[in-house]
Amino acid sequence: MLECRNLSVSYGHHRALDNIAVHIAPGEIVVILGANGAGKSTLLQAIAGLVPASDGGQILLDGKSIKNLPPHLIVEAGLALVPEGRRIFGDLTVLENLVLGAYAERARPTEKDNLGRALTLFPRLAERRRQIARTMSGGEQQMVAIGRAMMSAPSILMLDEPSLGLSPILCTELFKALAEIRKTGAGILLVEQNARQGLAIADRGYLLENGRIVGEGSAVSLAGDPAVQKAYLGGVAGGTGRAWPLTPTKPSIAT
Ligand code: ATP
């Protein structure tokens, strides 16, 4: 279980995240929706230890604080991030990229099993295991990035805009893979510009606006909400007639 309570991040005087509360349970897919600049990437980066979180507030993974730990210790604790733009090692083969994902001590004893799982999840990677990664298509490189993250045996997997630039067919394949990953018991925190597909696969979602959570709910209720439809799904439809906030934006777990 990943929980953020009162999480804030500032870049100089700019407060990019303001008292955020989110949680992700094992086996759950949670999507974060928000406009450009809302703070979605900052949220994932703060959780992963890549940008410092402000004083106060907590980030707990399975009850233990991971706030502002060095990134490699956060991976060791069980959290993996697939960053926007993939950032795979272009000059290495697919297999070498995957194996590098298993550097965490927590992953070493099960490296072989994890590799088998990644190659089963993405059969294309199995076929192309000796191919130099930068010669793969964008979608295939995304598979490498996700496969590499899964090699660290995470209990929580975070993905920043994984479908960006992928064809509709590859998007469908990607989202199917996420559904498979959740079956392993990992929780998934997804930032997705493809709100329709994100909500279709997610259990729950949060709406992030100017660094604040302005709504949250089940994926079904969010998808049916006219305000969400207008802002993220490209249209106005029937829905429930509610306006934001969908639920009070209090911390979801009592402190
Ligand atoms: P997008 O969908 O466009 O990627 P986002 O929701 O992921 O946007 P962030 O990248 O988290 O948004 O940015 C949130 C705010 O913080 C923006 O106003 C952005 O300009 C600012 N910001 C992000 N990174 C930095 C940085 N390193 N230094 C200063 N400001 C930053």
Side-chain angles (χ1 to χ4, degrees):
M1 166 82 103
L2 174 70
E3 298 170 60
C4 300
R5 302 173 182 166
N6 299 321
L7 174 63
S8 299
V9 172
S10 293
Y11 297 111
H13 293 301
H14 177 62
R15 201 160 168 88
L17 291 182
D18 191 16
N19 281 316
I20 297 288
V22 297
H23 69 276
I24 297 95
E28 190 177 40
I29 300 184
V30 174
V31 68
I32 308 274
L33 302 179
N36 288 338
K40 307 180 296 297
S41 297
T42 298
L43 174 60
L44 299 196
Q45 287 170 4
I47 295 170
L50 299 173
V51 300
S54 305
D55 290 347
Q58 290 178 303
I59 307 173
L60 302 170
L61 186 58
D62 299 327
K64 289 188 194 135
S65 175
I66 57 165
K67 186 181 159 203
N68 291 341
L69 286 181
H72 72 279
L73 291 184
I74 294 178
V75 173
E76 205 62 76
L79 193 135
L81 169 66
V82 179
E84 190 175 349
R86 294 148 205 158
R87 315 232 183 111
I88 59 173
F89 299 98
D91 291 333
L92 301 184
T93 65
V94 167
L95 191 61
E96 286 165 341
N97 266 278
L98 293 176
V99 168
L100 275 173
Y103 75 88
E105 249 168 64
R106 67 178 274 121
R108 285 187 205 150
T110 53
E111 180 178 336
K112 229 173 145 187
D113 292 347
N114 293 335
L115 181 61
R117 242 196 307 270
L119 296 178
T120 306
L121 193 61
F122 298 116
R124 202 174 306 208
L125 298 188
E127 289 161 22
R128 312 251 177 136
R129 65 180 79 193
R130 313 240 170 264
Q131 188 166 333
I132 296 295
R134 74 178 137 68
T135 66
M136 311 274 284
S137 74
E140 289 164 350
Q141 290 189 25
Q142 189 61 268
M143 293 172 195
V144 174
I146 297 172
R148 186 183 58 183
M150 290 307 294
M151 289 294 288
S152 68
S155 56
I156 298 284
L157 177 67
M158 304 194 297
L159 303 104
D160 196 351
E161 311 253 10
S163 76
L164 201 64
L166 301 194
S167 68
I169 289 179
L170 276 176
C171 277
T172 304
E173 222 173 285
L174 170 82
F175 284 102
K176 261 195 208 153
L178 296 186
E180 286 302 312
I181 288 172
R182 73 116 64 92
K183 287 187 196 159
T184 68
I188 297 179
L189 179 58
L190 179 67
V191 162
E192 191 43 68
Q193 35 89 38
N194 187 336
R196 194 174 301 279
Q197 241 164 340
L199 284 171
I201 191 186
D203 300 299
R204 288 188 303 111
Y206 294 92
L207 308 176
L208 191 59
E209 205 178 275
N210 295 323
R212 294 203 172 131
I213 300 287
V214 295
E216 61 181 285
S218 72
V220 172
S221 68
L222 289 175
D225 192 282
V228 174
Q229 290 175 348
K230 189 163 177 229
Y232 302 109
L233 300 173
V236 184
T240 60
R242 281 177 311 181
W244 296 346
L246 303 174
T247 61
T249 55
K250 60 179 187 234
S252 44
I253 305 288
T255 49

